[in-house]
Amino acid sequence: MPTLQPQPEIMTLEQYEDLPEDERVEVFDGIAYNMAGPSEIHQTISTELITILNNYIRNKKGSCRVFHAPFDVKLNDEPLTIVQPDLMIVCDRSKLEGKCCNGAPDFIIEIVSPGNAADDYIRKLYYYQNYGVREYWIVDPRRRTVTVNYFEGGLISITYSFSSTIKVNIYDDFYIDFSQIEPLL
């Protein structure tokens, strides 16, 4: 007779908030998952992209805000779902609550780490699409690709190489030239 596997403990918001500040976890449907620390390539890409995103919004005098990890995004209370996207744009400032974004950001970028590719390509794609993120990019340094998932009007998913100039679909006139980033890696 097969043995029953122990069920993981379902984490509450209170338990999450009691975690040590230096402990990075994400919670999907109440189950906590540890996050790996970012690599040098990850940090280089993140720094370049946050600069590009922030400069665009500043130059346009836009009201949206740019954030980078670690900054919590609470997608759901019951069961608890909290993520820490690598980069995000939040246009509805009423979602910002000091230490977190309560609800889906408009735009998210995740930079794939070698040990968590399935999280970015499968798990996070599912949650971001179902909780109202408008656009989700997966930047994969190993493959030198950017997968753009645009959810408004149904899922559109296109994969580009790092030599591409890619449109940020939540804006009419915003493009990111990855060929400017690739030489830095």
Side-chain angles (χ1 to χ4, degrees), residues 11-98:
M11 180 174 274
T12 66
L13 181 58
E14 293 75 28
Q15 289 170 318
Y16 181 82
E17 290 172 343
D18 286 342
L19 291 171
E21 289 259 342
D22 63 342
E23 190 169 339
R24 291 192 60 208
V25 300
E26 292 181 309
V27 183
F28 296 94
D29 291 329
I31 301 172
Y33 297 86
N34 290 319
M35 298 174 65
S39 67
E40 177 185 343
I41 289 173
H42 185 285
Q43 290 294 77
T44 301
I45 293 170
S46 180
T47 299
E48 292 302 311
L49 288 173
I50 198 160
T51 301
I52 293 166
L53 296 172
N54 206 40
N55 285 340
Y56 173 83
I57 290 171
R58 277 188 177 173
N59 291 338
K60 291 291 184 175
K61 298 184 181 9
S63 62
C64 300
R65 300 281 309 272
V66 180
F67 296 93
H68 60 85
F71 190 77
D72 290 343
V73 173
K74 185 169 56 165
L75 295 174
N76 198 31
D77 290 309
E78 283 286 322
L80 185 64
T81 300
I82 295 178
V83 293
Q84 291 185 354
D86 291 317
L87 301 165
M88 70 185 107
I89 296 175
V90 179
C91 296
D92 181 353
R93 289 192 177 200
S94 70
K95 292 180 178 181
L96 298 174
E97 298 181 350

Side-chain angles (χ1 to χ4, degrees), residues 118-167:
D119 278 354
D120 295 327
Y121 282 103
I122 300 169
R123 184 191 331 250
K124 289 183 179 180
L125 175 65
Y126 169 82
Y127 282 91
Y128 294 161
Q129 181 177 12
N130 287 299
Y131 281 100
V133 173
R134 294 170 57 200
E135 186 167 352
Y136 168 45
W137 288 19
I138 304 167
V139 177
D140 193 328
R142 189 178 56 79
R143 293 181 180 164
R144 297 285 205 252
T145 60
V146 179
T147 302
V148 174
N149 299 286
Y150 186 60
F151 302 125
E152 293 188 332
L155 172 62
I156 297 171
S157 184
I158 302 172
T159 300
Y160 298 90
S161 73
F162 271 21
S163 62
S164 301
T165 298
I166 305 169
K167 184 175 188 328

